[in-house]
Amino acid sequence: MTILVTRPSPAGEELVKQLIAQGVSACHTPLISFAPGDALSNLPDYLNNLRPGDLLIAASQHAVYYATDKLLEECHGWPDNIDYLAIGEKTARELEKVTNCPVARPEGREISEQLLKLPQLQYVVGKKVLILRGNGGRPFLAEQLKKRGAEITFCECYQRHPIPYDGEKLYHHWQQMNVNTLVITSGEMLQQLYELVPERYRNWLLSCQLLVVSERLADLANTLGWKHCQIADNADNDALLRALQQI
């Protein structure tokens, strides 16, 4: 058995190293790379438009990294009179480090559904919510907050770009590696992997054991035709390791 990890660097490489250290065969094929987002230059203005008591949500560590670099470049600080939230413990930790403010995060699974249960998001009528994200990220979160009466602004801090591969060559490489388990951490990457493998090899792809990080991702996998899908209890590497040990 070989586990194919598709999450981007450096987290993907770290997970493979952890698996190999446990005696598990694993390989890394990152499906996306990152670059600064188109709206990053607008971030200082977005922050200036926030009022006391408004909210800022960081969707990922990458959003925090790119936002921080831009603010340092512009000599612009983070406001200290708004509420900060993050999806995920590591993202919250990074945001706390750069803002010097407390950051609320969901307990348990690091998903939008859990974030929406936080007290800070229960009454948001008339509040401005700035979401730091990658291109196209977190539409469900924004939709739910709009229904609660919030005014949403997205700041595309970074862009995810598909890494171009030769699907035929990759398939044969994975066959040589005896890949039979796939780790996928976003719907975008799941769709990309599905389309990357040539159709004549798709039965092999769909026969692989799939590990995903949310119910919504599992539903997409089921729609695409996967039969063996397991959901990790979180999206961090520790949770993925625990889930892989049970496969």
Side-chain angles (χ1 to χ4, degrees):
M1 178 184 84
T2 296
I3 296 170
L4 171 64
V5 176
T6 63
R7 76 182 320 175
S9 301
E13 291 164 331
E14 291 168 359
L15 179 57
V16 167
K17 287 178 182 177
Q18 289 174 291
L19 287 165
I20 291 174
Q22 294 182 3
V24 178
S25 177
C27 61
H28 184 219
T29 304
L31 294 179
I32 59 173
S33 61
F34 299 103
D38 289 340
L40 198 54
S41 60
N42 298 327
L43 179 58
D45 289 337
Y46 290 154
L47 292 176
N48 290 339
N49 287 334
L50 295 176
R51 304 157 303 196
D54 285 337
L55 302 106
L56 181 147
I57 299 174
S60 70
Q61 294 176 71
H62 287 94
V64 177
Y65 297 151
Y66 280 101
T68 300
D69 286 347
K70 172 52 67 173
L71 293 180
L72 287 172
E73 180 185 311
E74 299 288 336
C75 297
H76 194 291
W78 296 89
D80 59 6
N81 58 357
I82 64 172
D83 288 332
Y84 288 96
L85 301 92
I87 300 177
E89 180 181 358
K90 290 183 178 179
T91 303
R93 204 157 53 228
E94 290 300 324
L95 191 57
E96 283 180 345
K97 189 188 304 180
V98 298
T99 62
N100 291 314
C101 293
V103 177
R105 64 175 180 86
E107 296 296 330
R109 301 186 67 188
E110 299 174 353
I111 56 177
S112 296
E113 289 87 343
Q114 290 297 108
L115 186 79
L116 286 162
K117 295 178 182 178
L118 291 179
Q120 293 89 336
L121 298 181
Q122 299 315 300
Y123 186 78
V124 292
V125 174
K127 288 192 175 185
K128 294 182 178 181
V129 180
L130 175 61
I131 300 177
L132 308 184
R133 65 170 187 172
N135 49 313
R138 303 295 169 180
F140 175 78
L141 175 62
E143 176 188 330
Q144 295 303 309
L145 290 174
K146 283 181 181 178
K147 288 180 179 178
R148 297 180 185 184
E151 180 184 330
I152 307 298
T153 300
F154 286 118
C155 182
E156 184 185 292
C157 294
Y158 65 97
Q159 293 183 338
R160 297 179 297 272
H161 295 293
I163 298 175
Y165 288 111
D166 183 320
E168 181 89 22
K169 289 182 179 178
L170 263 188
Y171 164 76
H172 290 295
H173 171 66
W174 292 335
Q175 285 287 291
Q176 290 174 353
M177 294 287 294
N178 293 316
V179 167
N180 67 349
T181 302
L182 315 171
V183 178
I184 303 287
T185 53
S186 78
E188 178 184 7
M189 286 189 282
L190 182 62
Q191 190 72 48
Q192 185 183 344
L193 179 64
Y194 180 82
E195 295 172 0
L196 177 64
V197 173
E199 188 173 354
R200 60 185 173 278
Y201 304 133
R202 197 138 312 145
N203 284 340
W204 164 80
L205 181 69
L206 297 176
S207 71
C208 289
Q209 173 72 47
L210 188 64
L211 177 64
V212 298
V213 296
S214 71
E215 294 283 353
R216 279 184 286 143
L217 197 45
D219 289 342
L220 174 59
N222 183 63
T223 299
L224 291 172
W226 264 278
K227 305 300 182 187
H228 311 289
C229 184
Q230 184 169 333
I231 304 172
D233 59 23
N234 228 322
D236 61 274
N237 279 353
D238 289 341
L240 293 172
L241 273 173
R242 288 194 300 271
L244 288 167
Q245 289 167 352
Q246 297 171 10
I247 293 178

